Amino acid sequence: MLLIECPFCGPRAEIEFAYGGPAQPPRPADPAALSDADWVDWLTVPENRAGPVPERWCHARGCGAWLTITRDTVSHAIVAVRHGT
């Protein structure tokens, strides 16, 4: 089980949080310029790389804050936590 350091509530068990998916890069400046296939890829295909990956988590059973957590997918260790995006 992960122990996530909420900036407002302190260390909390993973069970208090809801996974919100990978943190995506900013939306394309001109989505209409993307092909349909590129747009679908941007919306639905997350990266699946080994190493540190930014993810979105909500402290759903706590303060309700959305956090961006950088988690190493190899070791499962949390590298960084920050509030917001």
Side-chain angles (χ1 to χ4, degrees):
M1 179 185 310
L2 292 174
L3 185 63
I4 298 173
E5 180 81 29
C6 177
F8 305 106
C9 306
R12 296 293 192 255
E14 172 186 2
I15 196 165
E16 291 189 15
F17 293 83
Y19 178 69
Q24 289 192 351
R27 289 176 68 91
D30 185 10
L34 272 70
S35 69
D36 288 345
D38 289 340
W39 186 237
V40 168
D41 281 348
W42 187 88
L43 288 170
T44 62
V45 180
E47 284 188 44
N48 188 18
R49 66 178 193 257
V53 176
E55 301 172 332
R56 302 286 290 147
W57 289 76
C58 177
H59 195 181
R61 292 179 183 90
C63 64
W66 276 95
L67 309 175
T68 299
I69 295 174
T70 303
R71 183 180 61 83
D72 190 313
T73 59
V74 175
S75 67
H76 210 49
I78 295 176
V79 179
V81 177
R82 70 177 195 276
H83 179 255
T85 56

